[in-house]
Amino acid sequence: MGFKGFFEGGIASIVAGCSTHPLDLIKVRMQLQGEAPAPPQTAFQTLRPALAFHTTTGHVHPHMGHISLPPPPPPRVGLVSVGMKIIQQDGVAALFSGVSATVLRQSLYSTTRMGLYEILKQKWTDPNSKNMPLMKKISAGLIAGGVGAAVGNPADVAMVRMQADGRLPLAQRRNYKSVLDAISQMAKNEGVASLWRGSSLTVNRAMLVTASQLASYDQFKEIILEKGLMKDGLGTHITASFAAGFVAAVASNPVDVIKTRVMNMKVEPGMVPPYSGAIDCAMKTIRAEGPTTLYKGFIPTISRQGPFTVVLFVTLEQVRKLLKEF
């Protein structure tokens, strides 16, 4: 069952990831709304001579007679508006920007977490009741998610950047040709360590998602079957998986917002990065945009997490049936 569990989970994850990729891309774009771009640093700003004028926000110059205010932030738009804007600007194909990174990410991250969860599930399931206690399900999810995220982080960074590239001005776009091109350029221009940028956030998010998603799916499925609400079939799988997707979205969205911003930040050689780490990013984000921004993109998150989880587990159950004889 060891290898079989990895294979089944990998197939189901790739199908689910590709089918819901447009929603994931829109989610990333929405999570980056309101993020202040890093101001360009010129030679005058870095030298800062003693008699240089200091610019201040909202400063009234005594001889100018007017107030200098920063430009207002762009209005935040919703799920449909973001999707329509992407289609209008770059075409329908732009909704699948970074899909090669999604395939690689699911092949590494999800295959690992799904397979490892099944191994732990077999070891920790009570042989008499054939059930595993909820806390053991959560523990298995935490372990499997953490290991899977560490393995798949390079593909995750590449996916976020490829999805976010279209929102940048043409001169600032990275224009990665594929996930392999993205990974090679990051390693060449920013160092190999950049491939694990935001890895602590990725691991934390993956642990939350896997523990809440896989554990809650098994738990909801057991409750439905034990209480005789439905038989073990498509209806049970859809109901349990959609409930699991909602739980996963609520648990992971705050970490997902910070992860997206840390991974997407552009670090120029010799320049100070916009964020020094996850905590710094969280504090700056909350200070600038308020605590509710941690649930920015929640509608597309649940709109994506729900269908993703349904497709994931329905496909997984069907693949298991097909491979049951092997």
Side-chain angles (χ1 to χ4, degrees):
M1 176 64 186
F3 173 76
K4 193 177 176 183
F6 285 94
F7 180 76
E8 293 170 347
I11 294 295
S13 298
I14 291 171
V15 171
C18 290
S19 61
T20 59
H21 183 83
L23 290 170
D24 195 42
L25 184 143
I26 293 172
K27 177 203 72 175
V28 167
R29 297 283 180 91
M30 291 185 71
Q31 288 175 338
L32 292 171
Q33 284 185 127
E35 184 181 34
Q41 296 186 17
T42 64
F44 296 103
Q45 288 175 306
T46 53
L47 290 173
R48 297 190 65 82
L51 297 178
F53 291 105
H54 297 274
T55 58
T56 57
T57 304
H59 177 67
V60 182
H61 196 281
H63 302 294
M64 300 297 290
H66 69 277
I67 299 176
S68 176
L69 294 173
R76 295 175 184 174
V77 291
L79 173 68
V80 176
S81 299
V82 172
M84 293 302 298
K85 185 178 179 182
I86 293 171
I87 294 172
Q88 290 169 1
Q89 290 182 343
D90 303 307
V92 177
L95 292 173
F96 286 90
S97 297
V99 72
S100 61
T102 292
V103 172
L104 181 60
R105 178 178 179 268
Q106 298 299 340
S107 300
L108 297 174
Y109 158 62
S110 287
T111 299
T112 302
R113 74 181 183 118
M114 298 288 283
L116 188 54
Y117 179 81
E118 282 301 313
I119 290 174
L120 294 174
K121 183 178 171 181
Q122 281 193 339
K123 289 184 177 295
W124 294 348
T125 295
D126 187 292
N128 298 319
S129 65
K130 302 298 182 182
N131 288 333
M132 183 166 65
L134 179 59
M135 289 309 298
K136 286 190 175 181
K137 290 190 184 92
I138 294 173
S139 299
L142 291 172
I143 294 170
V147 174
V151 172
N153 201 81
D156 207 4
V157 178
M159 183 183 71
V160 167
R161 289 192 174 195
M162 292 174 76
Q163 289 177 335
D165 212 36
R167 68 183 285 272
L168 298 173
L170 290 174
Q172 296 180 23
R173 292 186 182 183
R174 299 176 175 104
N175 294 318
Y176 298 133
K177 297 175 183 177
S178 66
V179 61
L180 297 179
D181 179 52
I183 290 174
S184 63
Q185 282 197 42
M186 280 187 283
K188 179 181 178 181
N189 300 329
E190 303 172 49
V192 176
S194 67
L195 298 176
W196 274 270
R197 179 173 294 151
S199 58
S200 62
L201 288 165
T202 307
V203 169
N204 288 334
R205 177 189 177 276
M207 291 172 72
L208 287 172
V209 168
T210 306
S212 56
Q213 188 184 64
L214 301 187
S216 59
Y217 174 76
D218 282 343
Q219 192 68 21
F220 284 128
K221 183 180 174 183
E222 284 178 13
I223 292 172
I224 291 171
L225 295 177
E226 285 176 0
K227 293 187 177 297
L229 300 176
M230 284 186 279
K231 294 182 179 180
D232 189 3
L234 188 61
T236 298
H237 302 157
I238 292 175
T239 303
S241 57
F242 194 83
F246 181 80
V247 173
V250 172
S252 66
N253 203 87
V255 180
D256 201 29
V257 171
I258 303 303
K259 176 183 79 76
T260 296
R261 295 191 171 196
V262 170
M263 286 184 169
N264 186 60
M265 70 176 175
K266 195 167 186 177
V267 182
E268 300 289 350
M271 308 288 272
V272 178
Y275 310 117
S276 61
I279 301 298
D280 181 54
C281 179
M283 295 304 295
K284 285 180 178 177
T285 299
I286 294 172
R287 195 179 299 122
E289 303 169 56
T292 56
T293 199
L294 295 178
Y295 274 92
K296 183 179 289 184
F298 180 74
I299 297 301
T301 295
I302 188 60
S303 299
R304 184 257 179 187
Q305 193 69 258
F308 175 87
T309 310
V310 170
V311 174
L312 173 68
F313 287 114
V314 169
T315 305
L316 180 63
E317 297 283 3
Q318 296 307 310
V319 171
R320 282 175 176 169
K321 285 182 180 179
L322 290 173
L323 298 178
K324 196 171 184 180
E325 298 177 359
F326 297 95

